[in-house]
Amino acid sequence: MKAGRCLLLLALLVLLTAPLMLADDRKRVRKNRERAGDENFHKSRKQQYKKAKKGSSYDTVPFIDKEDKTFWRKEAQKELETQLGVRPRVTQAKNVILFLGDGMSVATVTAARIMKGQKTGKWEHQDLAWETFPYSAIIKTYTADSQVADSAASATAYLCGVKNNRGTIGVDVNVNRENCSAQHDPTFHTHSIAKWFQDGGKSTGFVTTTRVTHATPAGVYAHIADREWEDDHEITADGLDAEHCDDIAEQLILNEPGRNFKVIMGGGRRVLTPSDVLDVEESRYGFRKDGKNLINMWIDDKASRGVRASYVWNRDDLLALDTSKTDYLLGLFGYSHMDYVVERDSAMDPSLPEMTKAALEVLQKDPNGYFLLVEGGLIDLGHHGNKVQKALSETVEMAEAVQVAVSMTSQEDTLVVVTADHGHSLTINGYPTRHTDILGIGDISSEDFLPYTTLLYGNGPGFQPQVNGHRPDVSKDDLMDVNYRHAASVPLDSAAHTGDDVGLYAIGPHAHLFTGVHEQSYIPYALAYAACVGDGLTFCGSNRFRRNHGLLPSNRGQSKLRQRG
């Protein structure tokens, strides 16, 4: 009886579970079919790209000379001889030129070098202008409140010598973002090296490819609680009183040290003109709601001071300008930022080397010396859009501007420094063979057998979702399109910065102060020491300091380190 009952229960259990087992079987069959489909897909991809990974890559690269051990020994010995000839120039720097590549990470420098080498034929052997400088350093870029810097806080560090809160400029950590009342407290203000130069009776100026009120250039003259407050309407939009809070454009034209700059060049006409004034180039109106035309106010100010001043807004006017008869120069070459070099109208927009040349011609008339900031600002904007060709082209152009500055100055009296404010998540990936286009395919995945580009981003708008469960085949994309977005691993509407250290390169008097690893806030104090400006330690300062630190003047005006027994 018990056995019969058990058999009946077992039969009922089988009847109840049979549909579930059949469903599981169907799922298993479906998964097997999908797996077979994936395997067939991978197999086809593997066969399609197998040839690209076959054979010796060295044999397929068209080298001019065989790079055997003799070649590399010769190159190393030549490099060693050059390094052994490096001697510090321990004299006062009459002039200081600071080049700032916005967002110019180490990977950006490497990729730009290779891209330039593709055009010159030197490929990986190419050097950018600053890579031949005798001294270099590593710079730490974190801010007072963030592991990853923005251009506002970093500008305060490398121009004013103070690390502060992200999004604020020319103020210390006591000023939080959008705190207008704290912004007005002079005890919280940080003064830039440009102000130190002006206090020392020297000339100052800046050149940028961004708006002249953008974060980097604002670092030399503004004290602002929010980098977005470039004009009064931005302050009003945040619910604050624009009459009480001076915007960045006002501070540039009306306050010191901004009104004393002998050179101001970049874009950004919209933040200096009223909302009822049509732009000279574009069919758009200015942004200012207070009715102030700051361009006209700049012209009137210089006229009242009896100085020779020129305002230009296009390339032809700049190149036609007689800089020998120009004491103050205002050049605004864009309604907003200037155009990328790969999209620029050469009739309307001057290049960064051309602006650098004009700036130096104006500033070099001052026998006391000068400070000039030159920013390659569109490097950063290209990276924010994952448009790497734009970012690298801007880097190459900045290198050309550096070469112009070096050719127009002397290493005996001019200190030239090149650095960046922060990084971007650009990486150089895979194992591309030598002489591979840096913008092209770098390698093939051993997992899905699909290609990927040499250059990739950690985040940004270049993120590409899977299609039918597979990565897109980037070999079908137009990788040479200047607006092509290289792939990113995390989707963002605008790529975020990175917190990695950046490089610094220096040549000229006291360039040897830039070796090792330093805080970003160290930079302006080292520049000030070399130029004998500011209220900190200076080369021209106390003999007691120099004696205590073992620095003795030699007969040739240089110094040597005292041997300690």
Side-chain angles (χ1 to χ4, degrees):
M1 190 71 176
K2 289 183 178 179
R5 192 177 293 125
C6 289
L7 288 173
L8 180 61
L9 290 173
L10 180 60
L12 289 172
L13 180 63
V14 170
L15 288 173
L16 291 172
T17 58
L20 296 176
M21 294 175 65
L22 289 173
D24 289 341
D25 288 340
R26 284 194 293 269
K27 289 180 181 178
R28 194 175 299 109
V29 170
R30 186 165 58 251
K31 287 183 178 179
N32 287 337
R33 287 176 179 172
E34 291 175 353
R35 187 177 297 111
D38 284 343
E39 289 175 356
N40 289 334
F41 175 83
H42 289 315
K43 187 180 294 184
S44 67
R45 302 307 301 180
K46 186 175 182 179
Q47 292 297 324
Q48 186 175 353
Y49 290 104
K50 190 174 180 180
K51 292 180 180 180
K53 302 298 291 181
K54 186 177 181 180
S56 170
S57 62
Y58 189 91
D59 292 338
T60 64
V61 176
F63 290 111
I64 297 175
D65 297 309
K66 191 81 170 179
E67 294 183 353
D68 56 11
K69 63 180 182 181
T70 301
F71 170 84
W72 289 112
R73 184 182 186 280
K74 182 179 179 181
E75 288 295 306
Q77 291 296 310
K78 186 191 305 182
E79 190 172 342
L80 179 59
E81 288 180 5
T82 300
Q83 192 64 31
L84 290 171
V86 172
R87 295 290 185 275
R89 298 182 184 276
V90 191
T91 57
Q92 180 184 357
K94 174 184 173 184
N95 315 304
V96 171
I97 306 174
L98 176 59
F99 282 89
L100 193 287
D102 199 318
M104 193 177 70
S105 62
V106 173
T108 302
V109 174
T110 304
R113 175 204 309 148
I114 296 173
M115 191 174 80
K116 180 181 179 181
Q118 293 173 195
K119 299 177 181 178
T120 64
K122 292 183 177 181
W123 290 88
E124 296 81 7
H125 293 306
Q126 181 69 54
D127 287 319
L128 297 180
W130 55 79
E131 293 182 301
T132 60
F133 287 5
Y135 297 97
S136 59
I138 297 296
I139 302 299
K140 296 186 281 188
T141 61
Y142 67 91
T143 74
D145 64 341
S146 177
Q147 290 181 337
V148 178
D150 76 326
S151 295
S154 56
T156 307
Y158 63 77
L159 290 170
C160 304
V162 176
K163 294 207 172 194
N164 65 343
N165 296 322
R166 199 158 55 91
T168 64
I169 305 172
V171 290
D172 70 10
V173 71
N174 290 291
V175 180
N176 293 319
R177 197 160 186 171
E178 296 189 8
N179 190 333
C180 181
S181 60
Q183 168 186 313
H184 278 280
D185 190 333
T187 62
F188 299 154
H189 289 183
T190 63
H191 297 288
S192 76
I193 189 169
K195 176 70 162 57
W196 305 343
F197 264 71
Q198 288 184 12
D199 291 344
K202 299 173 181 286
S203 295
T204 54
F206 70 84
V207 173
T208 180
T209 50
T210 66
R211 294 188 294 271
V212 294
T213 50
H214 210 235
T216 295
V220 292
Y221 61 85
H223 309 288
I224 202 81
D226 194 327
R227 58 175 292 176
E228 303 296 334
W229 293 349
E230 295 184 51
D231 58 79
D232 65 316
H233 103 278
E234 294 285 358
I235 298 175
T236 303
D238 284 338
L240 299 171
D241 184 0
E243 289 297 320
H244 176 64
C245 240
D246 289 343
D247 58 76
I248 297 175
E250 279 185 306
Q251 295 186 41
L252 171 61
I253 301 301
L254 305 179
N255 297 357
E256 294 186 358
R259 66 188 295 265
N260 296 326
F261 287 136
K262 292 190 174 180
V263 174
I264 301 170
M265 279 193 281
R269 291 189 297 266
R270 72 184 193 186
V271 298
L272 287 93
T273 53
S275 57
D276 60 351
V277 172
L278 198 64
D279 185 66
V280 293
E281 184 179 7
E282 301 188 25
S283 299
R284 289 188 281 182
Y285 290 92
F287 275 18
R288 302 198 66 82
K289 301 298 184 182
D290 58 9
K292 294 179 180 177
N293 189 320
L294 293 175
I295 297 175
N296 290 342
M297 295 177 76
W298 181 90
I299 295 172
D300 293 342
D301 175 67
K302 302 305 175 281
S304 68
R305 294 160 71 172
V307 296
R308 299 174 297 181
S310 296
Y311 166 62
V312 294
W313 61 269
N314 61 71
R315 179 175 182 264
D316 288 343
D317 287 349
L318 177 65
L319 298 186
L321 184 68
D322 186 351
T323 52
S324 67
K325 298 179 180 179
T326 302
D327 299 322
Y328 287 80
L329 172 59
L330 173 62
L332 299 173
F333 307 107
Y335 175 75
S336 180
H337 299 306
M338 294 181 64
D339 292 335
Y340 290 101
V341 61
V342 294
E343 298 174 333
R344 183 177 300 152
D345 181 350
S346 59
M348 299 302 295
D349 297 335
S351 67
L352 189 61
E354 289 170 340
M355 291 191 291
T356 300
K357 179 177 180 292
L360 288 173
E361 288 173 349
V362 172
L363 295 173
Q364 285 177 338
K365 298 197 299 289
D366 189 338
N368 294 323
Y370 58 84
F371 169 80
L372 174 64
L373 170 68
V374 181
E375 183 199 18
L378 299 183
I379 301 170
D380 178 66
L381 297 187
H383 279 320
H384 276 299
N386 291 160
K387 297 180 179 181
V388 71
Q389 185 175 168
K390 287 185 172 181
L392 300 187
S393 298
E394 296 295 323
T395 306
V396 171
E397 185 183 57
M398 195 181 86
E400 295 169 358
V402 171
Q403 190 59 52
V404 166
V406 171
S407 67
M408 291 181 65
T409 57
S410 170
Q411 296 181 30
E412 297 295 329
D413 65 1
T414 302
L415 173 60
V416 179
V417 172
V418 180
T419 189
D421 49 356
H422 55 74
H424 266 279
S425 63
L426 179 71
T427 56
I428 304 174
N429 303 270
Y431 297 96
T433 59
R434 290 281 296 277
H435 292 199
T436 295
D437 192 323
I438 194 67
L439 299 176
I441 301 298
D443 213 331
I444 301 161
S445 169
S446 61
E447 289 295 317
D448 61 11
F449 305 107
L450 283 167
Y452 56 92
T453 54
T454 301
L455 301 178
L456 295 170
Y457 285 94
N459 59 77
F463 174 79
Q464 300 177 12
Q466 291 189 348
V467 178
N468 297 324
H470 304 292
R471 286 192 303 118
D473 184 350
V474 294
S475 67
K476 298 177 181 178
D477 296 343
D478 183 3
L479 302 179
M480 298 302 114
D481 184 345
V482 297
N483 286 307
Y484 180 76
R485 299 186 193 272
H486 276 62
S489 60
V490 176
L492 292 176
D493 61 349
S494 177
H497 298 164
T498 56
D500 43 318
D501 299 341
V502 297
L504 182 148
Y505 315 82
I507 189 170
H510 285 91
H512 62 280
L513 296 178
F514 297 104
T515 58
V517 180
H518 295 284
E519 296 284 358
Q520 200 165 44
S521 51
Y522 166 83
I523 295 173
Y525 295 114
L527 298 177
Y529 177 87
C532 298
V533 298
D535 58 5
L537 299 174
T538 67
F539 173 70
C540 306
S542 171
N543 286 332
R544 178 185 302 173
F545 167 79
R546 295 168 65 192
R547 182 168 60 251
N548 290 345
H549 288 74
L551 293 172
L552 298 175
S554 71
N555 293 331
R556 293 196 296 185
Q558 298 204 352
S559 298
K560 58 185 178 180
L561 187 65
R562 175 185 292 171
Q563 302 259 342
R564 294 184 181 180

